[in-house]
Amino acid sequence: GIVGSFNAGTGTLTLTSSTSLPVADYQTALRSVAYLNTSDNPNVTPRQLVFQVEDQSGAVSNNVLHTINITPVNDPPVVSTSVGTTSYTENNAGVVIDPNVQLSDIESSSLTGATVAFTGSLLAEDTLTYTNQLGISGSYNAVSGSLVLSGAASIANYQTALRSVSYRNLSDNPSTAVRSIQFLVHDGTDASSISQGFKSVSVTAVN
C-alpha cells in the first residue's frame, strides 16, 4: 500500500510504498490528497501546491502547480452569561441583569448592535433600563419587551454597555415568577446564537 507522511515544518506530504506499484495506484492516491485549514479566521492568500513524482530509477517528474483559493466564512459573535440567578426585590430602582456577561468574536473587534429581551411570557410590570454610553444608544419597546442597542463600537464597549442593563419591576404586587432574559449581539453580518446568552432574574415581593 501507499503510506503518506506530512511534515508540518516544510509543508511537504511524502507518499511511499515498500514495493513498486502501478502508476494508476499512485495517480489514485494523489487524487485523494486533500487540503484542510484549521483556522476560524484563515489567511486568504491563495496556496500554491506542487505535485512531483519519482520512479524506481530515481528519475523525477516535472513540477505541476495547483492553486487553492481560500474563502473565509464569517463566525458569529459569542455571548457568555455568568452562572447563577440575579435577584430583584420589589420597589428596587433596578438591578443589573449580568455584571459579568462576556462577549467575543474571533474575527472582529467591533459590533454593530445588541438586543436584550425577555423570553417567554411578558408581563406589563417588567421593564429594562439602560443609559446611553460609549457611542451606543438604547431603545426599549414595552410591547415586545426588547431593549435594542445600536451604534458601531468595540466589543469591549458593548460588553460594558450590556453589563449596565438593568431589570426593574413597576408593580407594588409583582409576580414572583422567574424572568428569563436573553442577550444577543450582532457583528454586522451575523448575530450570536439564539441558544446562548440567557440569564434568569428572580423577583421577591415585599408585603
Side-chain angles (χ1 to χ4, degrees), residues 1-6 13-19 21 25-26 29 33:
I2 300 173
V3 178
S5 176
F6 180 68
L13 173 67
T14 302
L15 305 184
T16 59
S17 58
S18 58
T19 60
L21 294 176
D25 287 2
Y26 267 94
V33 174

Side-chain angles (χ1 to χ4, degrees), residues 19 33 37 64 92 134-135 137 146-147 161 163 170 172 180 192 207:
T19 60
V33 174
N37 192 300
V64 175
N92 190 311
L134 303 171
S137 58
S146 299
L147 171 68
R163 286 180 175 183
L170 305 176
D172 283 327
S180 177
S192 54
N207 185 41

Side-chain angles (χ1 to χ4, degrees), residues 155-168:
I155 289 178
N157 283 353
Y158 261 98
Q159 181 170 278
T160 297
L162 289 177
R163 286 180 175 183
S164 74
V165 176
S166 295
Y167 166 81
R168 184 183 181 189

